[in-house]
C-alpha cells in the first residue's frame, strides 16, 4: 500500500470539469462553514477580535454571500452537467442507487467484522460515495432555499425565518461534521491514500486502487477494451492509451 | 497632587499654589469627622460603620458645621481614599467612593454648579441630613434659548409616566424601578472629555473669543455628544440587561426575561462591534421616529414602537429593513424570551392567550427541527465514524495476515 509505481497505468476518475466543480464546491463550502459559524461564537471568543471585530464582521457577511452565490451557481451547473453533458450523463447513471448497493454495504460490513473472506466487488461509485453524493443534494436544497429566504428576509414572516434559521444551522452543522468524518477521513486519512487521494487534482486513479476499491468497474473497462481491441486488432496494431 | 516648583516660589505640597492651608484644614476636618464616628479611638478593633458594613453607624455625638461653597466640600472630598463599604437595599456589600476630582468635575456637564446646588441639606458632619439628589429640581442656571430657569423636570416627568416610572409601572416593587443614575452612570465624570472631542481645531476656533478652556470643553462636548457619539451598542445592551436579564427581578414584575438577544443576528453583530445594527433602544425607543428612552412604554400600549401596529414602521426605519412587510415585523418576537415563565405568570390573561398559543406552537416547531437535526447528526457521525473505524480495523487485520 501507499506509494504505487510511477509507471503504473492510470484511469480517469474525474474529468477536468468535475475537478473544477469540486474545487469551487470545497473552497466555497469551507468559507461558508467558517464565516457561518462565526455567528455562533461564544461571547469570549468574539471578544478576542477586539477592535478589529467590526471589519471582520463586515467581511464575514460579504464572504458568506459571495461564497453562497458561487456554491449555488456550481450546484445548478452540476444539474445541467448531469442532465445534458455526455460525461455528466454517464456520471449520474453510475451514481444512481441500486439494490446492489444495499447488498454491498451488508457484505462489506460482514467482511470488516471478519465474517466474510472477501470484500464485495464494487462499481465506479461505492455505496458510501453514493450516500455522500446524494446527501449533498439534500443539504444544498435545504441551505440554498433557507439561505435565500434569509437573504430576502423582509418579505417573509418572522416565524418562517426562525424555521429557516433553525434548518440552515442544523443542516450546516450536519454537513460540516459529515464532511469531516465521512469525506476528509476517507480521502485523506485512509491508509490507502494518505496523505491524500490526488484524484481531485490530476483526476487519475491508479490501477492498484481500481482493483482494490472499484474492481467491478475495473473489470468492465478491461473487458470493454479487450472486445474493442479484438474488433480493431485486424486493422491496427497497438495500444490502449487511456490517461 | 504634584510636587512642583514654579517661578521661584516656595515648593507647594498637595494642590495648587497658595492653597497649602487647605491640606492642614482638611486633615483637621477629617480627624474631626472620624472622631465623631468612633474611628480614631478604636483603630485596632473592628470599627463600627467605617470599613465594616456589618455594624451600624452610631449616632454622632458632635456636630461640626460644614464649610460653605465648593472649596468647603473639597476640603475632604479631594482625597482619593475617602469612601467606605456599605450595604445596598438588597443587603449586598457595595463600595461607596466619596472622592471628587476637581478637574474632572469642572470639565463635566455640571462643572458650573456648586456641590450644594444638587446635594441639598448637607450641613452636618457626618452628612446625616443629606437629601437624595433630585434631578428634576430647578437649577440656578438660565436655559439659553428661553432665558428661564433650567430644569430636567420635563424628562423626569416623562420617565415617571413611562414603563420605568412610578406612575407608569405597577404599584408593586417600585424600589426596582430605575432612577436617572441607573442609566446615566456618570460617565462624564470619569472620562477624559478632551479625548472624546471630535476636533481639536474647533476648540481652537472657540478659544479665539472664549477664554475658559473648561467651559469650551463642556460646551463643545455637550453638543458633540448629542450629534455623534452615544453609548456603544454593547453598553446599551449591558445596561438594559442589568434588570431585564435578571430572572428574579423580572418575575417580581411579571415580565419576560430577555434571554435570547445575544443569540440573534443583531446581538452577535453588536458583540463584534457593529454599531449599524439595532440595539435595545433602536427598536424600543427609536429617536429617529420621535421616541425617547425616557418614554418607553409596554408593548401593549398603542404608542409603543414595538406594539403590533407600529412594529412594521419600526423595522422599516431609515437604515434598517426598508422593505419590511407586516408579516416580517409582527410574527414572533425579535428575541427569545423564557416562554415557560410567560405562560406561568400570565396564564389567565384572555387577551394574550391566542398570542401565547401561537408562540407555544412556534417554539414547539423549532424544537422539533432542532431535535430532528440532533438525531440525524448523531446518527450520521456515529454511523460514518463507526464505519471508518471498522474499516481501519479490517485494514490492520489484513496487514497482519500479510496483506493482499
Amino acid at each position: 500500500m501507499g506509494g504505487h509505481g510511477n509507471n503504473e497505468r492510470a484511469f480517469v476518475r474525474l474529468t477536468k470539469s468535475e475537478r473544477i466543480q469540486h474545487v469551487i464546491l470545497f473552497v466555497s463550502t469551507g468559507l461558508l462553514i467558517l464565516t457561518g459559524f462565526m455567528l455562533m461564537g461564544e461571547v469570549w471568543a468574539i471578544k478576542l477580535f477586539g477592535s478589529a471585530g467590526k471589519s471582520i464582521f463586515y467581511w464575514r457577511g460579504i464572504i458568506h454571500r459571495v461564497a453562497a452565490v458561487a456554491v449555488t451557481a456550481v450546484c445548478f451547473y452540476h444539474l445541467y452537467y448531469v442532465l445534458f453533458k455526455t460525461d455528466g450523463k454517464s456520471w449520474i447513471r453510475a451514481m444512481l442507487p441500486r439494490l446492489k448497493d444495499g447488498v454491498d454495504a451488508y457484505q462489506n460490513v460482514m467482511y470488516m467484522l471478519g465474517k466474510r473472506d472477501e470484500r464485495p466487488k464494487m462499481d465506479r461509485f461505492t455505496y458510501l460515495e453514493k450516500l455522500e453524493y446524494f446527501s449533498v443534494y439534500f443539504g444544498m436544497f435545504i441551505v440554498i432555499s433557507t439561505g435565500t429566504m434569509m437573504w430576502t428576509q423582509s418579505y417573509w414572516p418572522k416565524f418562517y425565518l426562525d424555521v429557516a434559521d433553525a434548518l440552515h444551522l442544523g443542516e450546516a452543522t450536519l454537513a460540516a461534521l459529515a464532511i469531516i468524518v465521512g469525506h476528509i477521513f476517507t480521502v485523506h486519512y485512509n491508509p490507502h491514500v494518505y496523505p491524500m487521494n490526488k484524484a481531485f487534482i490530476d483526476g487519475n486513479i491508479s490501477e492498484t486502487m481500481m482493483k482494490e476499491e472499484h474492481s467491478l468497474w475495473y473489470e468492465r473497462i478491461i473487458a470493454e477494451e479487450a472486445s474493442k481491441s479484438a474488433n480493431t486488432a485486424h486493422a491496427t496494431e497497438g495500444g490502449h492509451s487511456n490517461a | 497632587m504634584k510636587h512642583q516648583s514654579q517661578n521661584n516660589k516656595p515648593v507647594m505640597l498637595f494642590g495648587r499654589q497658595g492653597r497649602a492651608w487647605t491640606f492642614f484644614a482638611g486633615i483637621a476636618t477629617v480627624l474631626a469627622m472620624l472622631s465623631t464616628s468612633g474611628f480614631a479611638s478604636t483603630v485596632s478593633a473592628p470599627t463600627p460603620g467605617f470599613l465594616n458594613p456589618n455594624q451600624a453607624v452610631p449616632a454622632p455625638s458632635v456636630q461640626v458645621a460644614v464649610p460653605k461653597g465648593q472649596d468647603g466640600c473639597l476640603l475632604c472630598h479631594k482625597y482619593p481614599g475617602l469612601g467606605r463599604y456599605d450595604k445596598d437595599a438588597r443587603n449586598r456589600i457595595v463600595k461607596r467612593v466619596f472622592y471628587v476630582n476637581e478637574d474632572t468635575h469642572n470639565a463635566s456637564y455640571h462643572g458650573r454648579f456648586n456641590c450644594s446646588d444638587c446635594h441639598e441639606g448637607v450641613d452636618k458632619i457626618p452628612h446625616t441630613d443629606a437629601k437624595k439628589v433630585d434631578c428634576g429640581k430647578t437649577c440656578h442656571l438660565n436655559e439659553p434659548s428661553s432665558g428661564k430657569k433650567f430644569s430636567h423636570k420635563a424628562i423626569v416627568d416623562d420617565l415617571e409616566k413611562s414603563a420605568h416610572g412610578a406612575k407608569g409601572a405597577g404599584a408593586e416593587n417600585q424600589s426596582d424601578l430605575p432612577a436617572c443614575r441607573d442609566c446615566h452612570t456618570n460617565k462624564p465624570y470619569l472620562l477624559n472629555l478632551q479625548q472624546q472631542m471630535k476636533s481639536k481645531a474647533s476648540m481652537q476656533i472657540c478659544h479665539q473669543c472664549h477664554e475658559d478652556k473648561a467651559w469650551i470643553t463642556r460646551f463643545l462636548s455637550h453638543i458633540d455628544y448629542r450629534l455623534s457619539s452615544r453609548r456603544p451598542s454593547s453598553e446599551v445592551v449591558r445596561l438594559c440587561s442589568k434588570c431585564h436579564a435578571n430572572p428574579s427581578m423580572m418575575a417580581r414584575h411579571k415580565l419576560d426575561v430577555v434571554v435570547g438577544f445575544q443569540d440573534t443576528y443583531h446581538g452577535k453583530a453588536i458583540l463584534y462591534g457593529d454599531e449599524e445594527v439595532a440595539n435595545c433602544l433602536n427598536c424600543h425607543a427609536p429617536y429617529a421616529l420621535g421616541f425617547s428612552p425616557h418614554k418607553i412604554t409596554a408593548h401593549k400600549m398603542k404608542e409603543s414602537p414595538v406594539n403590533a401596529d407600529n412594529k412594521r414602521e419600526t423595522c422599516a426605519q431609515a437604515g434598517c429593513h426598508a422593505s419590511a412587510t407586516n408579516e416580517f415585523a409582527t410574527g414572533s418576537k425579535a428575541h427569545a424570551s423564557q416562554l415557560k415563565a410567560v405562560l406561568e405568570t400570565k396564564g389567565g390573561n384572555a387577551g394574550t392567550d391566542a398570542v401565547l398559543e401561537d408562540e407555544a406552537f412556534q417554539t414547539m416547531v423549532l424544537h422539533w427541527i432542532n431535535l430532528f437535526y440532533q438525531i440525524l447528526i448523531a446518527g450520521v457521525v456515529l454511523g460514518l465514524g463507526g464505519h471508518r473505524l471498522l474499516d481501519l480495523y479490517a485494514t490492520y487485520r489484513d496487514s497482519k495476515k500479510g496483506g493482499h
Side-chain angles (χ1 to χ4, degrees), chain B residues 67-289:
Chain B
K68 290 290 174 191
Q70 193 91 294
D71 289 338
C73 299
L74 285 174
L75 272 180
C76 302
H77 288 278
K78 71 178 175 185
Y79 294 106
L82 199 61
R84 67 185 161 99
Y85 288 96
D86 200 357
K87 281 188 175 177
D88 69 359
R90 306 214 169 276
N91 231 18
R92 285 171 305 201
I93 293 173
V94 288
K95 189 167 67 183
R96 300 187 64 188
V97 177
F98 302 126
Y99 162 59
V100 175
N101 181 312
E102 192 179 0
D103 294 335
T104 319
H105 174 259
N106 286 344
S108 78
Y109 304 132
H110 297 135
R112 287 175 71 182
F113 296 102
N114 274 328
C115 311
S116 56
D117 289 344
C118 300
H119 299 275
E120 291 178 296
V122 187
D123 293 324
K124 295 178 194 164
I125 293 175
H127 304 317
T128 47
D129 55 342
K131 288 183 197 157
K132 266 203 157 181
V133 172
D134 174 13
C135 298
K137 71 171 281 192
T138 310
C139 312
H140 301 297
L141 182 88
N142 291 334
E143 198 275 310
S145 70
S146 67
K148 290 179 193 160
K149 295 282 181 206
F150 182 79
S151 175
H152 294 302
K153 190 158 191 318
I155 290 176
V156 173
D157 287 347
D158 280 345
L159 186 70
E160 284 280 287
K161 282 179 266 172
S162 79
H164 292 128
K167 288 175 195 157
E172 291 163 22
N173 297 302
Q174 290 218 337
S175 67
D176 286 334
L177 296 176
C180 306
R181 283 220 14 222
D182 286 322
C183 301
H184 299 274
T185 44
N186 274 4
K187 266 275 159 78
Y189 296 98
L190 305 170
L191 285 180
N192 180 1
L193 285 167
Q194 297 265 22
Q195 234 172 20
Q196 246 191 352
M197 304 295 288
K198 283 275 177 284
S199 146
K200 285 230 164 86
S202 40
M203 279 263 308
Q204 293 305 319
I205 297 170
C206 304
H207 201 55
Q208 292 182 346
C209 298
H210 305 284
E211 285 175 20
D212 187 350
K213 210 176 169 198
W215 182 89
I216 297 171
T217 312
R218 221 155 45 219
F219 193 88
L220 203 55
S221 56
H222 179 85
I223 293 163
D224 184 55
Y225 183 70
R226 277 151 186 82
L227 288 183
S228 49
S229 60
R230 296 185 184 283
R231 284 171 193 278
S233 291
S234 57
E235 224 178 276
V236 173
V237 174
R238 199 164 57 234
L239 202 60
C240 300
S241 305
K242 271 204 300 196
C243 299
H244 287 276
N246 178 340
S248 55
M249 192 191 283
M250 289 301 103
R252 280 202 292 278
H253 295 268
K254 297 187 168 54
L255 290 169
D256 308 351
V257 186
V258 180
V259 286
F261 182 76
Q262 215 79 291
D263 299 330
T264 66
Y265 186 85
H266 291 156
K268 292 291 179 188
I270 287 171
L271 277 179
Y272 274 95
D274 189 340
E275 293 293 320
E276 304 290 312
V277 300
N279 63 39
C280 315
L281 293 178
N282 294 120
C283 301
H284 291 274
Y287 267 116
L289 299 180

Side-chain angles (χ1 to χ4, degrees), chain A residues 38-39 41 49 53-54 57 111-112 114 119 127-128 153-154 156-159 162-163 170-171 174 181, chain B residues 265 268-269 272-273 321 323 325 327-328 332-333 362 366 369 373 376-377 385 387-388 391-393 397-398:
Chain A
M38 279 172 77
L39 278 184
F49 291 121
K54 193 181 171 183
F57 185 77
Y111 167 77
M112 292 189 296
R119 281 190 195 269
Y127 62 93
L128 270 186
Q153 56 179 356
S154 298
W156 301 92
K158 178 71 169 54
F159 171 58
D162 289 345
V163 170
E171 186 53 48
L174 174 61
V181 180
Chain B
Y265 186 85
K268 292 291 179 188
Y272 274 95
H321 306 278
S323 49
T325 57
E327 287 74 20
F328 171 73
S332 51
K333 295 198 167 189
Q362 294 176 355
L366 295 176
I369 292 174
Y373 268 109
L376 193 60
I377 288 167
H387 192 282
R388 193 86 282 280
D391 206 9
L392 281 174
Y393 159 72
R397 185 189 61 205
D398 293 349

